[in-house]
Amino acid sequence: MSYALSFDELAITAAEREAVARLREATGVEGPIERHCLRCRHIAAELARRRGWIIEGEVVTVAAALHDIGAYLDPAARQSTDAYVADGAAVARSLLAAHSWTPARIDRCADAIERHHELRRQLARGAEVEALRLADLVDISGGLLRFGLPRQWVRELRQDVPVDGWGAEVARIGFRMVRERPATVPRIFRRG
Ligand SMILES: [Fe+2]
């Protein structure tokens, strides 16, 4: 195994550390969602490596850490009435604005968050965007969808970065989203 077992080992740059701090503020330290984000980070990197896609590790780490944070924003603090993936992208944009990233990198990172539930391929928006979209599908399907990754690799990752508590947490978030903003649910899967 050659991947970090915690975001503490992985998040090196100031932007990465701040993204992980935001994730932890919202979801607790190394809770089920943080572990899902970390698995998505590793799956995205492995999918990209096997396809020969060039990705920027920092972009993927920040996007993976923040990709579900929109589901945790306090309704009163939320910027918009939009889908949670758009709220998450807005969090990334405001965070990254202070880290002197180029506009193109910020767009790629925000797209990776906002588009991670798109039903269609997103490679044209950047390898990071498509890699995170596929990675989320691998993890939420429990490895039933693997996009060419070996079953054993996915199984080991899910042991090394444990999935405990994940199902209950997803059910809780989903229930809250349907209750608080039902009209946005279809927009999670298809952005303009
Ligand atoms: Fe996710």
Side-chain angles (χ1 to χ4, degrees):
M1 157 269 297
S2 59
Y3 40 73
L5 296 179
S6 163
F7 270 120
D8 292 325
E9 293 169 50
L10 190 67
I12 305 297
T13 70
E16 288 172 331
R17 286 201 309 270
E18 195 177 336
V20 172
R22 288 295 297 271
L23 167 68
R24 289 177 173 175
E25 264 169 40
T27 70
V29 177
E30 300 196 335
I33 293 294
E34 178 175 337
R35 284 181 271 118
H36 161 65
C37 292
L38 183 62
R39 288 192 302 274
C40 285
R41 164 66 175 81
H42 293 324
I43 295 166
E46 185 64 13
L47 286 167
R49 190 184 70 76
R50 286 169 180 265
R51 283 165 168 71
W53 293 346
I54 308 296
I55 57 167
E56 285 191 72
E58 187 181 22
V59 172
V60 183
T61 301
V62 172
L66 297 178
H67 81 277
D68 281 333
I69 201 166
Y72 287 86
L73 299 181
D74 185 320
R78 209 177 286 145
Q79 298 287 312
S80 72
T81 55
D82 211 336
Y84 91 93
V85 289
D87 289 331
V91 168
R93 285 183 185 283
S94 74
L95 184 152
L96 294 171
H99 289 280
S100 63
W101 282 30
T102 63
R105 284 182 99 213
I106 294 177
D107 283 347
R108 228 176 325 129
C109 188
D111 277 347
I113 295 167
E114 185 159 358
R115 309 270 169 184
H116 82 266
H117 282 308
E118 284 279 348
L119 302 176
R120 290 200 214 119
R121 187 172 158 93
Q122 298 291 314
L123 196 55
R125 296 180 192 277
E128 294 90 346
V129 182
E130 180 65 358
L132 186 61
R133 186 183 79 88
L134 297 179
D136 195 61
L137 283 168
V138 172
D139 202 53
I140 63 182
S141 74
L144 288 175
L145 293 172
R146 291 189 301 279
F147 305 106
L149 294 178
R151 186 190 302 270
Q152 187 62 20
W153 187 90
V154 176
R155 189 179 292 154
E156 279 175 20
L157 175 65
R158 293 169 68 81
Q159 283 164 2
D160 292 339
V161 184
V163 295
D164 315 8
W166 158 249
E169 183 65 8
V170 169
R172 206 173 63 79
I173 299 171
F175 178 75
R176 204 178 56 214
M177 207 166 298
V178 169
R179 195 185 55 207
E180 287 178 4
R181 39 179 163 169
T184 70
V185 171
R187 295 206 298 274
I188 293 170
F189 303 100
R190 181 128 202 291
R191 315 293 308 154

